[in-house]
Coordinates of all heavy atoms in Angstrom, one line a residue:
M1 N 105.8 86.9 98.4 CA 105.8 87.6 99.7 C 106.8 88.7 99.6 O 107.9 88.6 99.0 CB 106.2 86.6 100.8 CG 106.2 87.1 102.1 SD 106.6 85.8 103.3 CE 106.9 86.8 104.7
G2 N 106.6 89.8 100.3 CA 107.5 90.9 100.3 C 107.4 91.7 101.6 O 106.6 91.4 102.5
I3 N 108.2 92.7 101.7 CA 108.3 93.5 102.9 C 108.3 95.0 102.4 O 109.1 95.3 101.5 CB 109.5 93.1 103.8 CG1 109.4 93.8 105.1 CG2 110.8 93.4 103.1 CD1 110.4 93.3 106.1
S4 N 107.5 95.8 103.0 CA 107.3 97.1 102.5 C 108.5 98.0 103.1 O 109.2 97.7 104.0 CB 106.0 97.7 103.0 OG 106.0 97.9 104.4
K5 N 108.6 99.1 102.4 CA 109.7 100.1 102.8 C 109.4 100.6 104.2 O 110.3 100.8 105.1 CB 109.7 101.3 101.8 CG 110.8 102.3 102.1 CD 110.8 103.3 101.1 CE 111.9 104.4 101.4 NZ 111.9 105.5 100.4
R6 N 108.1 100.8 104.5 CA 107.7 101.3 105.9 C 108.1 100.2 107.0 O 108.6 100.6 108.0 CB 106.2 101.5 105.9 CG 105.7 102.1 107.2 CD 104.3 102.4 107.1 NE 103.8 102.9 108.4 CZ 102.5 103.0 108.7 NH1 101.6 102.8 107.8 NH2 102.2 103.4 109.9
T7 N 107.9 99.0 106.7 CA 108.3 97.9 107.6 C 109.8 97.9 107.8 O 110.3 97.8 108.9 CB 107.8 96.6 107.1 OG1 106.4 96.6 107.0 CG2 108.2 95.4 108.1
L8 N 110.6 98.1 106.7 CA 112.0 98.1 106.8 C 112.5 99.3 107.7 O 113.4 99.2 108.5 CB 112.7 98.2 105.4 CG 112.7 96.9 104.6 CD1 113.1 97.2 103.2 CD2 113.6 95.9 105.2
E9 N 111.8 100.4 107.5 CA 112.2 101.6 108.3 C 111.9 101.4 109.8 O 112.7 101.8 110.6 CB 111.4 102.8 107.8 CG 111.9 103.3 106.4 CD 111.0 104.4 105.8 OE1 109.9 104.6 106.3 OE2 111.4 105.0 104.8
T10 N 110.8 100.7 110.1 CA 110.5 100.3 111.5 C 111.5 99.4 112.0 O 112.0 99.6 113.2 CB 109.1 99.7 111.5 OG1 108.1 100.6 111.0 CG2 108.7 99.3 113.0
L11 N 111.9 98.4 111.3 CA 113.0 97.5 111.7 C 114.3 98.2 112.0 O 115.0 98.0 113.0 CB 113.2 96.4 110.7 CG 112.0 95.4 110.6 CD1 112.3 94.4 109.4 CD2 111.9 94.6 111.9
I12 N 114.6 99.1 111.1 CA 115.8 99.9 111.3 C 115.7 100.8 112.6 O 116.7 100.8 113.4 CB 116.1 100.8 110.1 CG1 116.6 100.0 108.9 CG2 117.1 101.9 110.4 CD1 116.6 100.8 107.6
D13 N 114.6 101.4 112.8 CA 114.4 102.1 114.1 C 114.5 101.2 115.3 O 115.2 101.6 116.3 CB 113.0 102.8 114.1 CG 112.9 103.9 113.1 OD1 113.9 104.5 112.7 OD2 111.7 104.3 112.8
L14 N 114.0 100.1 115.3 CA 114.1 99.1 116.4 C 115.5 98.7 116.7 O 116.0 98.7 117.8 CB 113.2 97.9 116.2 CG 111.7 98.2 116.2 CD1 110.9 96.9 115.7 CD2 111.3 98.6 117.6
V15 N 116.3 98.4 115.6 CA 117.7 98.0 115.8 C 118.5 99.2 116.3 O 119.3 99.0 117.2 CB 118.3 97.5 114.5 CG1 119.8 97.3 114.6 CG2 117.6 96.2 114.0
E16 N 118.2 100.4 115.8 CA 118.9 101.6 116.3 C 118.6 101.8 117.8 O 119.5 102.2 118.6 CB 118.6 102.8 115.5 CG 119.2 102.8 114.1 CD 118.7 103.9 113.2 OE1 117.7 104.5 113.5 OE2 119.4 104.2 112.2
I17 N 117.4 101.6 118.2 CA 117.0 101.8 119.6 C 117.7 100.8 120.5 O 118.3 101.1 121.5 CB 115.5 101.7 119.8 CG1 114.8 102.9 119.2 CG2 115.1 101.6 121.3 CD1 113.3 102.8 119.0
K18 N 117.8 99.6 120.0 CA 118.4 98.5 120.8 C 119.9 98.8 120.9 O 120.5 98.7 122.0 CB 118.2 97.2 120.1 CG 119.0 96.0 120.6 CD 118.4 95.5 121.9 CE 119.1 94.2 122.4 NZ 118.6 93.7 123.6
L19 N 120.5 99.3 119.8 CA 122.0 99.7 119.8 C 122.2 100.8 120.8 O 123.2 100.8 121.5 CB 122.4 100.0 118.4 CG 122.7 98.9 117.5 CD1 122.9 99.4 116.1 CD2 123.9 98.1 117.9
S20 N 121.3 101.8 120.8 CA 121.5 102.9 121.7 C 121.4 102.5 123.2 O 122.0 103.2 124.1 CB 120.6 104.0 121.4 OG 119.3 103.7 121.7
C21 N 120.7 101.5 123.5 CA 120.5 101.0 124.9 C 121.5 100.0 125.4 O 121.6 99.8 126.6 CB 119.1 100.4 125.0 SG 117.7 101.5 124.7
M22 N 122.3 99.5 124.4 CA 123.2 98.4 124.8 C 124.4 98.9 125.6 O 125.0 100.0 125.3 CB 123.7 97.7 123.6 CG 122.7 96.7 123.0 SD 123.5 95.5 121.9 CE 124.5 94.6 123.1
E23 N 124.8 98.2 126.6 CA 126.1 98.4 127.3 C 126.9 97.1 127.2 O 126.4 96.1 127.5 CB 125.8 98.8 128.7 CG 125.1 100.1 128.9 CD 124.9 100.5 130.3 OE1 125.6 99.9 131.2 OE2 124.0 101.3 130.6
V24 N 128.1 97.3 126.7 CA 129.0 96.1 126.5 C 129.8 95.9 127.8 O 130.6 96.7 128.2 CB 129.9 96.3 125.3 CG1 130.8 95.1 125.1 CG2 129.1 96.6 124.0
Y25 N 129.6 94.7 128.3 CA 130.3 94.3 129.5 C 131.3 93.1 129.3 O 132.2 92.9 130.0 CB 129.4 93.9 130.7 CG 128.6 95.1 131.2 CD1 127.2 95.2 130.9 CD2 129.2 96.1 131.9 CE1 126.5 96.3 131.4 CE2 128.5 97.2 132.4 CZ 127.1 97.3 132.1 OH 126.4 98.3 132.6
D26 N 130.9 92.3 128.3 CA 131.7 91.1 128.0 C 131.7 90.7 126.6 O 131.2 91.5 125.8 CB 131.2 89.9 128.9 CG 129.8 89.6 128.6 OD1 129.2 90.0 127.6 OD2 129.2 88.9 129.5
R27 N 132.4 89.6 126.2 CA 132.5 89.2 124.8 C 131.1 88.9 124.2 O 130.9 89.2 123.0 CB 133.4 88.0 124.7 CG 134.8 88.3 124.9 CD 135.7 87.1 124.7 NE 137.0 87.3 125.1 CZ 137.9 86.4 125.3 NH1 137.6 85.1 125.1 NH2 139.1 86.7 125.7
E28 N 130.3 88.3 124.9 CA 128.9 88.0 124.4 C 128.2 89.3 124.0 O 127.6 89.4 123.0 CB 128.1 87.2 125.4 CG 126.8 86.8 124.9 CD 126.1 85.9 125.9 OE1 126.7 85.2 126.7 OE2 124.8 85.9 125.8
D29 N 128.3 90.3 124.9 CA 127.7 91.6 124.6 C 128.3 92.2 123.3 O 127.6 92.8 122.5 CB 127.8 92.6 125.7 CG 127.0 92.2 126.9 OD1 126.1 91.4 126.8 OD2 127.3 92.7 128.1
A30 N 129.6 92.1 123.2 CA 130.4 92.6 122.0 C 129.9 91.9 120.8 O 129.7 92.6 119.7 CB 131.9 92.5 122.2
R31 N 129.7 90.6 120.8 CA 129.2 89.9 119.7 C 127.8 90.3 119.3 O 127.5 90.5 118.1 CB 129.2 88.4 120.0 CG 130.6 87.7 119.8 CD 130.5 86.2 119.8 NE 130.1 85.7 121.1 CZ 130.9 85.3 122.1 NH1 132.2 85.4 121.9 NH2 130.4 84.9 123.2
E32 N 127.0 90.5 120.3 CA 125.6 91.0 120.0 C 125.6 92.3 119.4 O 124.9 92.6 118.5 CB 124.8 91.0 121.3 CG 123.4 91.4 121.2 CD 122.5 90.5 120.4 OE1 122.9 89.3 120.2 OE2 121.4 90.9 120.0
L33 N 126.5 93.2 119.9 CA 126.6 94.6 119.3 C 127.0 94.5 117.9 O 126.4 95.1 117.0 CB 127.6 95.4 120.1 CG 127.8 96.8 119.7 CD1 126.6 97.7 120.0 CD2 129.1 97.4 120.3
A34 N 128.0 93.7 117.6 CA 128.5 93.5 116.2 C 127.4 92.9 115.3 O 127.3 93.4 114.2 CB 129.8 92.6 116.2
N35 N 126.7 92.0 115.8 CA 125.6 91.4 115.1 C 124.5 92.4 114.7 O 124.0 92.5 113.6 CB 125.0 90.2 115.8 CG 124.0 89.4 115.0 OD1 124.1 89.2 113.8 ND2 122.9 89.0 115.7
L36 N 124.1 93.2 115.7 CA 123.1 94.3 115.5 C 123.6 95.3 114.5 O 122.9 95.8 113.6 CB 122.7 94.9 116.8 CG 121.8 94.1 117.7 CD1 121.7 94.7 119.1 CD2 120.5 93.9 117.1
E37 N 124.9 95.7 114.6 CA 125.5 96.6 113.6 C 125.5 96.1 112.2 O 125.1 96.8 111.2 CB 126.9 97.0 114.0 CG 126.9 97.9 115.2 CD 128.3 98.2 115.8 OE1 129.2 97.5 115.5 OE2 128.4 99.2 116.5
R38 N 125.8 94.8 112.1 CA 125.7 94.1 110.8 C 124.3 94.0 110.2 O 124.0 94.3 109.1 CB 126.3 92.7 110.9 CG 126.5 92.0 109.6 CD 127.3 90.6 109.7 NE 127.0 89.9 111.0 CZ 127.8 89.8 112.0 NH1 129.0 90.5 112.0 NH2 127.5 89.1 113.1
C39 N 123.4 93.7 111.1 CA 121.9 93.7 110.8 C 121.5 95.1 110.3 O 120.8 95.2 109.3 CB 121.1 93.3 112.0 SG 119.4 93.3 111.8
L40 N 121.9 96.1 111.0 CA 121.5 97.5 110.6 C 122.0 97.8 109.2 O 121.3 98.4 108.4 CB 122.0 98.5 111.6 CG 121.7 99.9 111.4 CD1 120.1 100.1 111.4 CD2 122.3 100.8 112.5
G41 N 123.3 97.4 109.0 CA 123.9 97.6 107.6 C 123.1 96.9 106.5 O 122.9 97.4 105.5
E42 N 122.7 95.6 106.8 CA 122.0 94.9 105.8 C 120.6 95.5 105.6 O 120.2 95.6 104.4 CB 121.8 93.4 106.3 CG 123.1 92.6 106.3 CD 122.9 91.2 106.8 OE1 121.7 90.7 106.8 OE2 123.9 90.6 107.1
L43 N 119.9 95.9 106.6 CA 118.6 96.6 106.5 C 118.7 97.8 105.6 O 117.9 98.1 104.8 CB 118.0 96.9 107.8 CG 117.5 95.7 108.6 CD1 117.1 96.1 110.0 CD2 116.3 95.0 107.9
R44 N 119.8 98.6 105.9 CA 120.0 99.9 105.1 C 120.3 99.5 103.7 O 119.8 100.3 102.8 CB 121.1 100.7 105.7 CG 120.7 101.3 107.0 CD 121.7 102.2 107.6 NE 121.2 102.9 108.8 CZ 122.0 103.4 109.8 NH1 123.3 103.2 109.7 NH2 121.5 104.0 110.8
T45 N 121.0 98.5 103.4 CA 121.3 98.1 102.0 C 120.0 97.7 101.3 O 119.8 98.0 100.2 CB 122.3 96.9 102.0 OG1 123.5 97.3 102.6 CG2 122.6 96.4 100.6
I46 N 119.2 96.9 102.0 CA 117.9 96.4 101.4 C 117.0 97.6 101.1 O 116.4 97.7 100.1 CB 117.2 95.5 102.4 CG1 118.0 94.2 102.5 CG2 115.8 95.2 101.9 CD1 117.5 93.2 103.6
I47 N 116.9 98.6 102.1 CA 116.0 99.7 101.8 C 116.6 100.6 100.7 O 115.8 101.2 100.0 CB 115.8 100.5 103.2 CG1 114.5 101.2 103.1 CG2 116.9 101.5 103.5 CD1 113.9 101.7 104.4
T48 N 117.9 100.7 100.6 CA 118.5 101.5 99.5 C 118.1 100.8 98.1 O 117.7 101.5 97.2 CB 120.0 101.5 99.6 OG1 120.3 102.1 100.8 CG2 120.6 102.3 98.4
G49 N 118.2 99.5 98.1 CA 117.7 98.8 96.9 C 116.3 98.9 96.6 O 115.8 99.0 95.5
A50 N 115.5 98.9 97.7 CA 114.0 99.1 97.6 C 113.7 100.4 97.0 O 112.7 100.6 96.2 CB 113.3 98.8 98.9
A51 N 114.4 101.4 97.4 CA 114.2 102.8 97.0 C 114.4 102.9 95.5 O 113.8 103.7 94.8 CB 115.0 103.8 97.7
K52 N 115.4 102.2 95.0 CA 115.8 102.2 93.6 C 114.7 101.5 92.7 O 114.4 101.9 91.6 CB 117.2 101.7 93.3 CG 118.3 102.5 93.9 CD 119.6 101.8 93.7 CE 120.7 102.7 94.3 NZ 122.0 102.0 94.2
S53 N 114.2 100.3 93.2 CA 113.4 99.5 92.4 C 111.9 99.6 92.7 O 111.1 99.2 91.9 CB 113.8 98.0 92.6 OG 113.6 97.6 93.9
G54 N 111.5 100.2 93.8 CA 110.1 100.3 94.2 C 109.9 100.3 95.7 O 110.9 100.3 96.4
D55 N 108.7 100.1 96.1 CA 108.4 100.2 97.5 C 108.4 98.8 98.2 O 108.3 98.8 99.5 CB 107.1 100.8 97.8 CG 107.1 102.3 97.5 OD1 108.2 102.9 97.5 OD2 106.0 102.9 97.2
V56 N 108.5 97.8 97.5 CA 108.4 96.4 98.2 C 109.7 95.6 97.8 O 110.1 95.6 96.7 CB 107.2 95.7 97.7 CG1 107.1 94.3 98.3 CG2 105.9 96.5 98.1
V57 N 110.2 94.9 98.8 CA 111.3 94.0 98.6 C 110.7 92.6 98.5 O 110.0 92.2 99.4 CB 112.3 94.1 99.8 CG1 113.4 93.1 99.6 CG2 112.9 95.5 99.9
A58 N 111.0 91.9 97.4 CA 110.5 90.6 97.2 C 111.4 89.6 97.9 O 112.6 89.7 97.9 CB 110.4 90.3 95.7
F59 N 110.7 88.6 98.4 CA 111.4 87.4 99.0 C 110.9 86.2 98.3 O 109.7 86.1 97.8 CB 111.1 87.3 100.5 CG 111.7 88.4 101.3 CD1 111.1 89.5 101.6 CD2 113.0 88.2 101.8 CE1 111.7 90.5 102.4 CE2 113.7 89.2 102.5 CZ 113.0 90.3 102.8
P60 N 111.7 85.1 98.2 CA 111.3 83.9 97.5 C 110.1 83.3 98.2 O 110.0 83.3 99.4 CB 112.5 83.0 97.6 CG 113.4 83.6 98.5 CD 113.1 85.0 98.7
Q61 N 109.2 82.8 97.4 CA 108.0 82.1 97.9 C 108.4 80.8 98.5 O 109.1 80.0 97.9 CB 107.0 82.0 96.8 CG 105.6 81.8 97.2 CD 104.9 83.1 97.9 OE1 105.6 83.9 98.4 NE2 103.7 83.2 97.8
V62 N 107.9 80.4 99.7 CA 108.2 79.2 100.3 C 106.9 78.4 100.3 O 105.9 78.8 100.7 CB 108.7 79.4 101.8 CG1 108.9 78.0 102.5 CG2 109.9 80.2 101.8
A63 N 107.0 77.1 99.8 CA 105.8 76.3 99.7 C 105.4 75.9 101.1 O 106.2 75.6 102.0 CB 106.2 75.0 98.9
D64 N 104.1 76.0 101.3 CA 103.5 75.6 102.6 C 103.3 74.1 102.6 O 102.5 73.6 101.9 CB 102.2 76.3 102.8 CG 101.7 76.2 104.3 OD1 102.3 75.4 105.0 OD2 100.7 76.8 104.6
K65 N 104.1 73.4 103.4 CA 104.1 71.9 103.4 C 102.8 71.4 104.0 O 102.3 70.3 103.6 CB 105.2 71.3 104.2 CG 106.6 71.6 103.6 CD 107.7 71.0 104.4 CE 109.0 71.3 103.7 NZ 110.2 70.8 104.4
R66 N 102.1 72.2 104.8 CA 100.8 71.7 105.4 C 99.8 71.7 104.3 O 99.0 70.8 104.3 CB 100.4 72.6 106.5 CG 101.3 72.5 107.8 CD 100.8 73.5 108.8 NE 101.3 74.8 108.3 CZ 101.0 76.0 108.9 NH1 100.2 76.0 109.9 NH2 101.4 77.1 108.4
R67 N 99.8 72.6 103.4 CA 98.8 72.6 102.3 C 99.2 71.5 101.3 O 98.3 70.9 100.7 CB 98.8 74.0 101.6 CG 98.2 75.0 102.4 CD 98.2 76.3 101.6 NE 97.7 77.4 102.4 CZ 97.6 78.6 102.1 NH1 97.9 79.0 100.8 NH2 97.1 79.6 102.9
A68 N 100.4 71.2 101.1 CA 100.8 70.2 100.1 C 100.4 68.8 100.6 O 100.1 67.9 99.8 CB 102.3 70.3 99.8
A69 N 100.3 68.6 101.9 CA 100.0 67.3 102.4 C 98.5 67.0 102.3 O 98.1 65.9 102.4 CB 100.4 67.2 103.9
V70 N 97.7 68.0 102.1 CA 96.2 67.8 102.0 C 95.8 67.2 100.8 O 96.3 67.2 99.7 CB 95.5 69.2 102.2 CG1 94.0 69.0 102.0 CG2 95.8 69.7 103.5

């Protein structure tokens, strides 16, 4: 399973939009803002790695337990 560069760019755009709309009123808002900024940094790091290695970021395959039970 993987995620394309285009999908990563869309996720980055969505996080940036959310960040631009946020107003911090309390600690919970500040935590959410910090979490979104960290998320944005991680997405940018992933997309930088994807640009170096190819267009798709690989994720580990997770066994589908429903299929294994059959």
Side-chain angles (χ1 to χ4, degrees):
M1 182 177 170
I3 189 165
S4 69
K5 185 177 177 183
R6 183 174 178 193
T7 299
L8 284 170
E9 290 170 348
T10 301
L11 290 171
I12 288 171
D13 288 343
L14 290 171
V15 172
E16 287 174 340
I17 290 167
K18 175 75 174 182
L19 282 169
S20 70
C21 295
M22 283 198 69
E23 294 183 21
V24 177
Y25 293 108
D26 56 19
R27 288 182 187 168
E28 186 176 331
D29 292 341
R31 280 192 293 269
E32 180 68 17
L33 181 74
N35 186 40
L36 286 169
E37 288 173 340
R38 187 172 37 257
C39 176
L40 183 59
E42 288 179 21
L43 288 169
R44 286 181 174 156
T45 300
I46 291 170
I47 205 165
T48 301
K52 291 178 183 175
S53 64
D55 289 337
V56 177
V57 177
F59 289 94
Q61 202 68 335
V62 178
D64 189 353
K65 293 181 181 182
R66 292 176 287 174
R67 290 184 185 176
V70 174

